[in-house]
């Protein structure tokens, strides 16, 4: 009895691996964004360009996804990287959604539901000369 696998079994496994590996990498830290923070001093947006009550998703010059949310004169910033699997969350009509595993967050980054079990971490910012700047 041979300890080798039949050729058909090996080929099926290779085909599944070719499909599964890119999917796993898309939701893992392989993108390099999980745990990264924006560099200090980067202008993210003009305050006047942020809609009141509707968050905006953007990417910093170094490729770090961030959410900016303005309520009147107050602006908050937090990571747009889902704490569950590292995918970038997106702005939906009523909340934020991680498209990889359907974790949901309030517009202020508070965890609502899904496999993530924590809020989106805040991103330190300052307001300077009418702009939102990373601190």
């Amino acid at each position: 009895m041979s300890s080798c696998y039949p050729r058909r079994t090996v080929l099926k496994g290779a085909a599944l691996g070719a499909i599964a590996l890119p999917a796993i990498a898309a939701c893992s830290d392989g993108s390099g964004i999980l745990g990264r923070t924006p560099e200090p001093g980067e202008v993210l947006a003009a305050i006047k360009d942020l809609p009141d009550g509707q968050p905006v998703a953007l990417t910093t010059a170094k490729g770090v996804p961030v959410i900016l949310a303005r309520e009147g004169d107050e602006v908050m910033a937090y990571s747009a990287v889902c704490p569950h699997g590292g995918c970038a969350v997106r702005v939906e009509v009523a909340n934020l959604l991680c498209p990889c595993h359907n974790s949901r967050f309030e517009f202020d980054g508070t965890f609502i539901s899904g496999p993530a079990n924590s809020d989106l971490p805040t991103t330190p910012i300052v307001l300077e000369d009418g702009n939102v700047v990373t601190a």
Side-chain angles (χ1 to χ4, degrees), residues 20-111:
L21 284 177
I24 291 168
C27 291
S28 72
D29 193 17
S31 64
I33 60 174
L34 190 62
R36 286 186 20 208
T37 57
E39 294 206 12
E42 181 178 345
V43 174
L44 297 176
I47 297 168
K48 67 178 180 57
D49 293 338
L50 298 174
D52 196 359
Q54 182 66 30
V56 174
L58 56 92
T59 303
T60 68
K62 295 288 185 179
V64 180
V66 176
I67 302 283
L68 297 178
R70 181 172 75 89
E71 291 288 334
D73 293 334
E74 186 176 328
V75 179
M76 297 174 20
Y78 41 94
S79 173
V81 178
C82 181
H84 172 251
C87 298
V89 300
R90 64 179 182 224
V91 178
E92 298 281 315
V93 174
N95 51 43
L96 304 172
L97 171 70
C98 176
C100 294
H101 303 107
N102 294 320
S103 288
R104 293 193 177 274
F105 305 87
E106 298 286 351
F107 285 156
D108 66 359
T110 305
F111 171 71

